Each structure stands twice: as structure tokens, then as C-alpha cells.
Amino acid sequence: EKKGYYAWNGIHYFLYEYELALQGSEEQKITYDTFIKRNSIEHIFPQTAVDECWQTSFDTYPSEQRVKLKNSLGNLLLLSVPKNAHLQNKCFDYKKRHSTASNPNEFKGYFNGSHSEIEVNAYTDWTAKEILERGIKMLNFMERRWEVRIGNFDQKKKILFVEFLQIGEHQLNIAGNEN
């Protein structure tokens, strides 16, 4: 069905484990029970990307490649159901931080969410490069966490369904990733 990692039956467990790794010794923001009951999986680059901000960043890719990018591991984020419903297809800058309708001095967004949200908030933009970069970081975490060897950079791009990207390992900020 071309749903990539979004349809993977282990995605909830993996995203939760990744959240714990990002948490380190900091305060736990999400328990597994809470995640299963009240949290969802957000497509950062949305499934229905109609806003100009998304068109500008992703229109150079044919439809089939956009679907692969949307459902690639690096584009998926553990997020509460209410927050996911609110953010929907909005632009990345809005998802990162925006004022609430009821109080212009109150802000919501990735910046004050789960450890995974805070990680994504650190990115300036959200393009295919960031999806690949985060996906590689997540696969590197998977290798360390379960002591498996996934492969080299090109093999990881293929596993992430983004082998078509003309982005080299040297163009990414993945050195020193200790998640």
C-alpha cells in the first residue's frame, strides 16, 4: 500500500524506544501505556501536503518519491493525538512553534513536546535532506540498541526507501549521534 514505515507493526514500539534514548537521564515525558493509548504518529511532511511551504520544498520530486519521503522513518514522529489533530498539514515553522488562538503570548509546538519533538524542533527546515538525516540517525540507534548491522550509508538509504535522493553522507550532520 506504499505506506512504508507508517504501516510497520513495530513502529510504535520503535518510536517509543527512540524517545527513551533521546531522553537519556532527563525527565520522562511519555510512558509506553500513555503512548499506546493517547499518542499517534505524525507525518512531519504531511500526508496531504497542499500548503505552499510544502510544495516549495517537495515539488521537485515525482508523486511516487513524495509518498516514499512521507512514509520514511525519519519523517515519522511520536506525537499526542490532540497535537497531531491540531498540527495536521501545517507548515514546518508552524509545527515548531506557534501562538495559541486564545492567547497570543502562549505558544505550542514541537519545541516543548516530547524529546523526539524537541529533536525535530532543532532543525531549521524540513526537506528531503532532513528526512534522510533523521532516518539515518534512527537506523544508527536501531543498530546500537538491538546490536544489529543494517549496512552502509547507501544500504540505509535503500532501507529508508529514499535511495533516489542525490544526497551524500558527507552532506548530513550525523557524526557523533549517540542516541
Side-chain angles (χ1 to χ4, degrees):
E1 295 181 33
K2 300 181 181 181
K3 294 198 177 198
Y5 283 92
Y6 187 65
W8 176 34
N9 66 0
I11 191 65
H12 285 88
Y13 180 73
F14 176 77
L15 290 177
Y16 180 73
E17 285 281 333
Y18 188 69
E19 170 72 11
L20 290 180
L22 292 174
Q23 169 189 314
S25 61
E26 294 180 33
E27 177 187 345
Q28 184 174 9
K29 295 185 176 213
I30 298 173
T31 66
Y32 190 70
D33 287 341
T34 303
F35 175 57
I36 293 301
K37 292 177 186 169
R38 290 190 270 155
N39 289 282
S40 64
I41 297 170
E42 152 93 337
H43 288 80
I44 303 165
F45 168 40
Q47 295 181 78
T48 308
V50 294
D51 287 353
E52 185 178 332
C53 58
W54 297 118
Q55 301 301 322
T56 302
S57 298
F58 292 94
D59 255 6
T60 58
Y61 300 100
S63 177
E64 182 180 314
Q65 291 177 354
R66 285 194 306 270
V67 169
K68 288 180 178 185
L69 286 163
K70 289 174 188 180
N71 294 307
S72 187
L73 184 61
N75 192 52
L76 303 177
L77 178 63
L78 173 151
L79 198 65
S80 72
V81 172
K83 192 179 251 185
N84 195 351
H86 173 72
L87 295 177
Q88 294 181 2
N89 304 321
K90 303 269 196 275
C91 294
F92 184 62
D93 286 343
Y94 182 88
K95 290 181 176 193
K96 286 176 61 169
R97 183 182 178 103
H98 61 277
S99 60
T100 64
S102 60
N103 182 350
N105 295 320
E106 181 184 347
F107 294 92
K108 291 185 176 183
Y110 293 162
F111 78 98
N112 66 353
S114 68
H115 296 284
S116 300
E117 288 177 73
I118 293 168
E119 175 202 36
V120 169
N121 186 68
Y123 286 100
T124 305
D125 296 310
W126 197 254
T127 66
K129 178 180 177 265
E130 285 76 18
I131 292 171
L132 173 61
E133 182 174 296
R134 185 164 180 264
I136 295 290
K137 287 179 180 181
M138 294 170 93
L139 289 180
N140 289 347
F141 159 73
M142 188 182 290
E143 286 181 318
R144 287 188 304 277
R145 172 65 178 91
W146 288 282
E147 298 179 7
V148 296
R149 178 77 180 126
I150 294 173
N152 65 26
F153 179 73
D154 290 330
Q155 290 165 323
K156 287 177 181 173
K157 279 175 68 174
K158 188 173 184 174
I159 289 168
L160 293 168
F161 309 116
V162 294
E163 64 278 359
F164 57 88
L165 292 177
Q166 300 299 309
I167 299 169
E169 187 172 13
H170 67 282
Q171 295 172 279
L172 305 178
N173 185 18
I174 52 176
N177 178 32
E178 300 302 323
N179 296 338

